[in-house]
Coordinates of all heavy atoms in Angstrom, one line a residue:
M1 N 0.8 -1.2 0.0 CA 0.0 0.0 0.0 C 0.9 1.3 0.0 O 2.0 1.3 0.6 CB -0.9 0.0 1.2 CG -1.9 -1.0 1.3 SD -3.1 -0.8 0.0 CE -4.4 -1.8 0.5
A2 N 0.4 2.3 -0.6 CA 1.1 3.5 -0.7 C 0.2 4.6 -0.1 O -1.0 4.4 0.0 CB 1.4 3.9 -2.1
V3 N 0.8 5.8 0.2 CA 0.0 6.9 0.7 C 0.0 8.0 -0.3 O 0.9 8.2 -1.1 CB 0.5 7.4 2.1 CG1 0.3 6.3 3.1 CG2 1.9 7.8 2.0
S4 N -1.1 8.8 -0.2 CA -1.2 10.0 -1.1 C -1.6 11.1 -0.2 O -2.6 11.0 0.6 CB -2.2 9.8 -2.2 OG -2.4 11.0 -2.8
Y5 N -0.9 12.3 -0.3 CA -1.3 13.4 0.5 C -2.0 14.5 -0.3 O -2.0 15.7 0.0 CB 0.0 14.0 1.2 CG 0.6 13.0 2.1 CD1 1.7 12.3 1.7 CD2 0.1 12.8 3.4 CE1 2.3 11.4 2.6 CE2 0.7 11.9 4.2 CZ 1.8 11.2 3.8 OH 2.4 10.3 4.6
N6 N -2.5 14.1 -1.5 CA -3.2 15.0 -2.4 C -4.3 15.8 -1.7 O -4.6 16.9 -2.0 CB -3.7 14.3 -3.6 CG -2.6 13.9 -4.6 OD1 -1.5 14.5 -4.5 ND2 -2.9 13.0 -5.4
R7 N -5.0 15.1 -0.8 CA -6.1 15.8 0.0 C -5.6 16.9 0.8 O -6.2 18.0 0.9 CB -6.8 14.8 0.9 CG -7.6 13.7 0.1 CD -8.2 12.7 1.1 NE -8.9 11.7 0.3 CZ -9.5 10.7 0.9 NH1 -9.5 10.5 2.2 NH2 -10.2 9.8 0.1
L8 N -4.4 16.7 1.4 CA -3.8 17.8 2.2 C -3.4 19.0 1.3 O -3.7 20.2 1.6 CB -2.5 17.3 2.9 CG -1.7 18.4 3.6 CD1 -2.5 19.1 4.7 CD2 -0.4 17.8 4.2
W9 N -2.8 18.7 0.1 CA -2.5 19.8 -0.8 C -3.7 20.6 -1.3 O -3.6 21.8 -1.4 CB -1.7 19.3 -2.0 CG -0.6 18.3 -1.7 CD1 -0.2 17.2 -2.4 CD2 0.4 18.4 -0.6 NE1 0.9 16.6 -1.8 CE2 1.2 17.3 -0.7 CE3 0.6 19.3 0.4 CZ2 2.3 17.1 0.2 CZ3 1.6 19.1 1.4 CH2 2.4 18.0 1.2
H10 N -4.8 19.9 -1.5 CA -6.1 20.6 -1.8 C -6.5 21.5 -0.7 O -7.0 22.6 -1.0 CB -7.1 19.6 -2.2 CG -6.9 18.9 -3.5 ND1 -7.1 19.5 -4.7 CD2 -6.4 17.7 -3.8 CE1 -6.8 18.7 -5.7 NE2 -6.4 17.6 -5.2
I11 N -6.4 21.0 0.5 CA -6.8 21.9 1.7 C -6.0 23.1 1.7 O -6.5 24.2 1.9 CB -6.7 21.1 3.0 CG1 -7.8 20.0 3.1 CG2 -6.8 22.0 4.2 CD1 -7.7 19.1 4.3
L12 N -4.6 23.0 1.5 CA -3.8 24.1 1.5 C -4.1 25.1 0.4 O -4.1 26.3 0.7 CB -2.3 23.7 1.4 CG -1.7 22.9 2.6 CD1 -0.3 22.6 2.3 CD2 -1.9 23.6 3.9
I13 N -4.4 24.6 -0.7 CA -4.8 25.5 -1.8 C -6.1 26.2 -1.5 O -6.2 27.4 -1.7 CB -5.0 24.7 -3.2 CG1 -3.6 24.2 -3.6 CG2 -5.7 25.5 -4.2 CD1 -3.7 23.2 -4.7
D14 N -7.1 25.5 -1.0 CA -8.4 26.1 -0.6 C -8.3 27.1 0.4 O -9.0 28.1 0.4 CB -9.4 25.0 -0.1 CG -9.8 24.0 -1.2 OD1 -9.7 24.4 -2.4 OD2 -10.4 23.0 -0.9
R15 N -7.3 27.0 1.3 CA -7.1 27.9 2.4 C -6.0 29.0 2.1 O -5.7 29.8 2.9 CB -6.7 27.2 3.7 CG -7.8 26.3 4.2 CD -7.5 25.7 5.5 NE -8.5 24.7 5.9 CZ -8.6 24.2 7.1 NH1 -7.7 24.5 8.0 NH2 -9.6 23.3 7.4
N16 N -5.5 28.9 0.8 CA -4.5 29.9 0.4 C -3.3 29.9 1.3 O -2.9 30.9 1.8 CB -5.1 31.3 0.2 CG -4.2 32.2 -0.6 OD1 -3.5 31.7 -1.5 ND2 -4.3 33.4 -0.4
M17 N -2.9 28.7 1.7 CA -1.8 28.5 2.6 C -0.6 27.8 2.0 O -0.8 26.9 1.2 CB -2.4 27.6 3.7 CG -1.8 27.8 5.1 SD -2.8 26.7 6.2 CE -1.6 26.7 7.5
S18 N 0.6 28.2 2.3 CA 1.8 27.6 1.8 C 2.2 26.4 2.7 O 1.8 26.3 3.9 CB 2.9 28.6 1.7 OG 3.4 28.9 3.0
K19 N 3.1 25.6 2.2 CA 3.7 24.5 2.9 C 4.5 25.0 4.1 O 4.5 24.5 5.2 CB 4.5 23.6 2.1 CG 3.7 22.8 1.1 CD 4.6 21.9 0.2 CE 3.8 21.1 -0.8 NZ 4.7 20.3 -1.7
T20 N 5.2 26.1 3.8 CA 6.0 26.8 4.9 C 5.1 27.3 6.0 O 5.5 27.1 7.2 CB 6.8 27.9 4.3 OG1 7.6 27.4 3.2 CG2 7.7 28.6 5.3
Q21 N 4.0 27.8 5.7 CA 3.1 28.3 6.7 C 2.5 27.1 7.5 O 2.4 27.2 8.8 CB 1.9 29.0 6.1 CG 2.2 30.4 5.5 CD 1.1 31.0 4.8 OE1 0.4 30.3 4.0 NE2 0.9 32.3 5.0
L22 N 2.3 26.0 6.9 CA 1.8 24.8 7.6 C 2.9 24.3 8.5 O 2.6 23.9 9.6 CB 1.3 23.7 6.6 CG 0.8 22.4 7.3 CD1 -0.3 22.7 8.2 CD2 0.5 21.4 6.2
I23 N 4.1 24.2 8.0 CA 5.2 23.8 8.9 C 5.3 24.5 10.2 O 5.4 24.0 11.3 CB 6.6 23.9 8.1 CG1 6.6 22.8 7.0 CG2 7.8 23.8 9.0 CD1 7.8 23.0 6.0
K24 N 5.2 25.9 10.1 CA 5.3 26.7 11.3 C 4.0 26.5 12.1 O 4.1 26.4 13.4 CB 5.4 28.2 10.9 CG 6.8 28.5 10.3 CD 6.9 29.9 9.8 CE 8.2 30.1 9.1 NZ 8.3 31.5 8.6
M25 N 2.9 26.5 11.5 CA 1.6 26.4 12.3 C 1.5 25.1 13.0 O 1.0 25.0 14.2 CB 0.5 26.6 11.3 CG -0.9 26.6 11.9 SD -2.1 26.8 10.5 CE -3.6 27.0 11.4
A26 N 1.9 24.0 12.4 CA 1.8 22.7 13.0 C 3.0 22.2 13.8 O 2.9 21.3 14.6 CB 1.5 21.6 11.8
G27 N 4.1 23.0 13.6 CA 5.3 22.6 14.4 C 5.9 21.3 13.9 O 6.4 20.5 14.7
I28 N 5.9 21.1 12.6 CA 6.6 19.9 12.0 C 7.9 20.3 11.4 O 8.1 21.5 11.1 CB 5.6 19.2 11.1 CG1 5.3 20.1 9.9 CG2 4.4 18.7 11.8 CD1 4.5 19.4 8.8
T29 N 8.7 19.3 11.0 CA 10.0 19.6 10.4 C 9.8 19.7 8.9 O 8.9 19.2 8.3 CB 11.0 18.5 10.7 OG1 10.5 17.3 10.1 CG2 11.1 18.3 12.2
T30 N 10.8 20.4 8.3 CA 10.8 20.5 6.8 C 11.1 19.1 6.2 O 10.6 18.8 5.1 CB 11.9 21.5 6.4 OG1 13.2 21.1 6.9 CG2 11.6 22.9 6.8
N31 N 11.8 18.3 7.0 CA 12.0 16.9 6.5 C 10.7 16.1 6.4 O 10.5 15.4 5.4 CB 13.0 16.2 7.4 CG 13.4 14.8 6.9 OD1 13.6 14.7 5.7 ND2 13.4 13.8 7.8
A32 N 9.9 16.3 7.3 CA 8.5 15.6 7.3 C 7.7 16.1 6.1 O 7.1 15.3 5.4 CB 7.8 15.8 8.6
M33 N 7.8 17.4 5.9 CA 7.0 18.0 4.7 C 7.6 17.5 3.4 O 6.9 17.2 2.5 CB 7.1 19.5 4.8 CG 6.3 20.2 3.7 SD 4.5 19.8 3.7 CE 4.0 20.7 5.1
A34 N 8.9 17.4 3.3 CA 9.6 16.9 2.1 C 9.2 15.4 1.9 O 8.9 15.0 0.7 CB 11.1 17.0 2.2
R35 N 9.1 14.6 2.9 CA 8.7 13.2 2.7 C 7.2 13.1 2.2 O 6.9 12.3 1.4 CB 8.8 12.4 4.1 CG 10.3 12.2 4.5 CD 10.4 11.4 5.8 NE 9.8 10.1 5.7 CZ 10.4 9.0 5.1 NH1 11.6 9.2 4.6 NH2 9.8 7.9 5.1
M36 N 6.4 14.0 2.8 CA 5.0 14.0 2.3 C 4.9 14.5 0.9 O 4.1 14.0 0.1 CB 4.2 14.9 3.2 CG 4.0 14.3 4.6 SD 2.9 15.0 5.7 CE 2.8 16.7 5.3
G37 N 5.8 15.4 0.5 CA 5.8 15.9 -0.9 C 6.1 14.8 -1.9 O 5.8 14.8 -3.1
K38 N 6.8 13.7 -1.4 CA 7.2 12.6 -2.2 C 6.2 11.4 -2.0 O 6.5 10.3 -2.4 CB 8.6 12.1 -1.9 CG 9.7 13.1 -2.2 CD 11.0 12.6 -1.8 CE 12.0 13.7 -1.5 NZ 13.2 13.2 -0.9
N39 N 5.1 11.6 -1.3 CA 4.2 10.6 -0.9 C 4.8 9.4 -0.1 O 4.5 8.3 -0.3 CB 3.4 10.1 -2.1 CG 2.3 11.1 -2.5 OD1 1.8 11.8 -1.7 ND2 2.1 11.1 -3.8
E40 N 5.8 9.8 0.7 CA 6.4 8.8 1.6 C 5.7 8.8 2.9 O 5.1 9.7 3.3 CB 7.9 9.1 1.7 CG 8.7 9.0 0.4 CD 10.1 9.4 0.6 OE1 10.6 9.8 1.7 OE2 10.9 9.2 -0.4
D41 N 6.0 7.7 3.7 CA 5.4 7.5 5.0 C 6.0 8.6 6.0 O 7.2 8.9 5.9 CB 5.7 6.2 5.6 CG 5.0 5.1 4.8 OD1 4.0 5.3 4.1 OD2 5.5 3.9 4.8
V42 N 5.1 9.1 6.9 CA 5.6 9.9 8.0 C 4.9 9.4 9.2 O 4.0 8.6 9.2 CB 5.2 11.4 7.8 CG1 5.9 12.0 6.6 CG2 3.7 11.6 7.6
R43 N 5.4 9.8 10.4 CA 4.9 9.4 11.7 C 3.5 9.9 11.9 O 3.1 11.0 11.4 CB 5.8 9.9 12.8 CG 7.2 9.3 12.7 CD 8.1 9.8 13.8 NE 7.5 9.4 15.1 CZ 8.2 9.6 16.2 NH1 9.3 10.2 16.2 NH2 7.6 9.3 17.3
V44 N 2.7 9.1 12.6 CA 1.4 9.5 12.9 C 1.4 10.8 13.7 O 0.5 11.6 13.5 CB 0.6 8.3 13.7 CG1 -0.7 8.8 14.1 CG2 0.5 7.1 12.8
E45 N 2.4 11.0 14.5 CA 2.5 12.2 15.3 C 2.5 13.4 14.4 O 1.9 14.4 14.7 CB 3.8 12.2 16.1 CG 4.0 13.4 16.9 CD 5.4 13.4 17.6 OE1 6.2 12.4 17.5 OE2 5.7 14.3 18.3
V46 N 3.2 13.3 13.2 CA 3.2 14.4 12.3 C 1.8 14.7 11.7 O 1.3 15.9 11.7 CB 4.2 14.1 11.1 CG1 4.1 15.2 10.0 CG2 5.6 14.1 11.6
L47 N 1.1 13.6 11.3 CA -0.2 13.8 10.8 C -1.2 14.4 11.9 O -2.0 15.2 11.6 CB -0.8 12.4 10.3 CG 0.0 11.8 9.2 CD1 -0.5 10.4 8.9 CD2 0.1 12.7 8.0
A48 N -1.0 13.9 13.1 CA -1.8 14.4 14.2 C -1.6 15.9 14.4 O -2.6 16.7 14.6 CB -1.6 13.7 15.5
K49 N -0.4 16.4 14.3 CA -0.1 17.8 14.5 C -0.7 18.6 13.4 O -1.2 19.7 13.6 CB 1.4 18.0 14.5 CG 2.1 17.6 15.8 CD 3.6 17.9 15.7 CE 4.3 17.5 17.0 NZ 5.8 17.9 16.9
I50 N -0.7 18.1 12.2 CA -1.3 18.8 11.0 C -2.8 18.9 11.2 O -3.4 19.9 11.0 CB -0.9 18.1 9.7 CG1 0.6 18.3 9.4 CG2 -1.8 18.6 8.5 CD1 1.1 17.4 8.3
C51 N -3.4 17.8 11.6 CA -4.8 17.7 11.8 C -5.2 18.7 12.9 O -6.2 19.4 12.7 CB -5.3 16.3 12.2 SG -5.2 15.2 10.8
T52 N -4.5 18.8 14.0 CA -4.8 19.8 15.0 C -4.7 21.2 14.5 O -5.5 22.0 14.8 CB -3.8 19.5 16.2 OG1 -4.0 18.2 16.7 CG2 -4.1 20.5 17.3
A53 N -3.6 21.5 13.8 CA -3.4 22.8 13.2 C -4.5 23.2 12.3 O -4.9 24.4 12.2 CB -2.0 22.9 12.6
L54 N -4.9 22.3 11.4 CA -5.9 22.6 10.4 C -7.4 22.3 10.8 O -8.3 22.7 10.1 CB -5.7 21.8 9.1 CG -4.3 22.0 8.4 CD1 -4.2 21.1 7.2 CD2 -4.3 23.5 8.0
G55 N -7.6 21.7 12.0 CA -8.9 21.4 12.5 C -9.6 20.4 11.6 O -10.8 20.6 11.2
C56 N -8.9 19.3 11.2 CA -9.5 18.3 10.4 C -9.1 16.9 10.9 O -8.4 16.8 11.9 CB -9.0 18.5 9.0 SG -7.2 18.2 8.8
T57 N -9.5 15.9 10.2 CA -9.2 14.5 10.6 C -8.2 13.9 9.6 O -8.0 14.5 8.5 CB -10.5 13.6 10.6 OG1 -11.0 13.6 9.3 CG2 -11.5 14.1 11.6
M58 N -7.6 12.8 10.0 CA -6.6 12.2 9.2 C -7.1 11.8 7.8 O -6.4 11.9 6.8 CB -5.9 11.0 9.9 CG -5.0 11.5 11.0 SD -3.9 10.1 11.5 CE -3.4 10.8 13.1
D59 N -8.3 11.3 7.8 CA -8.8 10.8 6.5 C -9.1 12.0 5.5 O -9.3 11.8 4.3 CB -10.1 10.0 6.6 CG -11.3 10.7 7.2 OD1 -11.0 11.6 8.0 OD2 -12.4 10.3 6.9
E60 N -9.1 13.2 6.1 CA -9.2 14.4 5.2 C -7.9 14.9 4.6 O -7.9 15.7 3.7 CB -9.8 15.6 6.0 CG -11.3 15.3 6.4 CD -11.8 16.4 7.3 OE1 -11.4 16.5 8.5 OE2 -12.6 17.3 6.7
I61 N -6.8 14.3 5.1 CA -5.5 14.8 4.6 C -4.6 13.7 3.9 O -3.7 14.0 3.2 CB -4.6 15.5 5.6 CG1 -4.3 14.5 6.8 CG2 -5.3 16.7 6.2 CD1 -3.2 15.1 7.7
V62 N -5.0 12.4 4.2 CA -4.2 11.3 3.7 C -5.1 10.2 3.2 O -6.2 10.0 3.7 CB -3.2 10.7 4.8 CG1 -3.9 10.1 5.9 CG2 -2.2 9.8 4.2
E63 N -4.6 9.6 2.1 CA -5.4 8.5 1.5 C -4.5 7.3 1.3 O -3.3 7.5 0.8 CB -6.0 9.0 0.2 CG -6.8 7.9 -0.6 CD -7.3 8.5 -1.9 OE1 -6.8 9.5 -2.4 OE2 -8.2 7.8 -2.4
I64 N -4.9 6.1 1.6 CA -4.2 4.9 1.3 C -4.6 4.4 0.0 O -5.8 4.2 -0.3 CB -4.5 3.8 2.4 CG1 -4.3 4.4 3.8 CG2 -3.6 2.6 2.2 CD1 -2.9 4.9 4.1
V65 N -3.6 4.2 -0.9 CA -3.9 3.8 -2.3 C -3.1 2.5 -2.6 O -2.0 2.4 -2.1 CB -3.6 4.8 -3.3 CG1 -4.5 6.0 -3.2 CG2 -2.2 5.3 -3.2
P66 N -3.7 1.6 -3.3 CA -3.0 0.3 -3.6 C -1.9 0.7 -4.6 O -2.1 1.5 -5.5 CB -4.1 -0.5 -4.3 CG -5.4 0.2 -4.2 CD -5.1 1.6 -3.7
E67 N -0.7 0.1 -4.4 CA 0.4 0.3 -5.2 C 0.3 -0.3 -6.6 O 0.8 0.2 -7.6 CB 1.7 -0.2 -4.6 CG 2.1 0.6 -3.4 CD 3.4 0.1 -2.8 OE1 4.3 -0.2 -3.6 OE2 3.5 0.1 -1.6
N68 N -0.5 -1.3 -6.7 CA -0.6 -2.1 -8.0 C -2.0 -1.8 -8.7 O -2.5 -2.7 -9.4 CB -0.4 -3.5 -7.8 CG -1.3 -4.2 -6.7 OD1 -2.2 -3.5 -6.2 ND2 -1.1 -5.4 -6.4
G69 N -2.6 -0.7 -8.4 CA -3.9 -0.4 -9.0 C -5.0 -1.3 -8.5 O -6.1 -1.4 -9.1
G70 N -4.9 -1.8 -7.3 CA -6.0 -2.6 -6.7 C -5.9 -4.1 -7.0 O -6.8 -4.8 -6.5
K71 N -4.9 -4.5 -7.7 CA -4.8 -5.9 -8.1 C -3.8 -6.6 -7.2 O -2.7 -6.1 -6.9 CB -4.4 -6.1 -9.5 CG -5.4 -5.5 -10.5 CD -4.8 -5.6 -11.9 CE -5.8 -4.8 -12.8 NZ -5.3 -4.7 -14.1
E72 N -4.2 -7.7 -6.6 CA -3.2 -8.4 -5.7 C -2.5 -9.5 -6.4 O -2.8 -10.1 -7.3 CB -4.0 -9.0 -4.5 CG -4.8 -7.8 -3.9 CD -4.4 -7.7 -2.4 OE1 -3.6 -8.4 -1.9 OE2 -5.0 -6.8 -1.8

């Protein structure tokens, strides 16, 4: 399984917010943001900080997608 943070990027666009602003607001590292930019795994703690800062839930910012298009 892979992760996609496209939902988070859409929220940032809708709120006219930059990634840098989110980093400061949520108190996360630039490394964590870079990993999310590559759709890589990050700690749940990072996602929780983002959700707290944005007032949303995890399913609103991250999506689990099958790596092979849903075929096993």
Side-chain angles (χ1 to χ4, degrees):
M1 294 294 197
V3 293
S4 170
Y5 299 101
N6 287 339
R7 292 176 178 179
L8 173 60
W9 311 141
H10 287 283
I11 289 173
L12 293 182
I13 290 168
D14 290 344
R15 296 184 185 192
N16 196 27
M17 211 174 162
S18 71
K19 291 179 182 179
T20 303
Q21 289 172 315
L22 178 60
I23 288 168
K24 291 177 184 176
M25 184 179 185
I28 61 173
T29 65
T30 54
N31 186 42
M33 183 60 73
R35 290 181 61 80
M36 291 188 332
K38 299 177 203 170
N39 285 329
E40 295 178 354
D41 296 336
V42 295
R43 296 177 63 172
V44 174
E45 177 185 4
V46 171
L47 299 177
K49 286 180 177 183
I50 292 170
C51 289
T52 300
L54 295 177
C56 64
T57 61
M58 285 194 199
D59 65 330
E60 292 178 283
I61 64 169
V62 65
E63 180 180 18
I64 307 299
V65 292
E67 290 184 40
N68 57 5
K71 300 175 185 173
E72 305 237 2

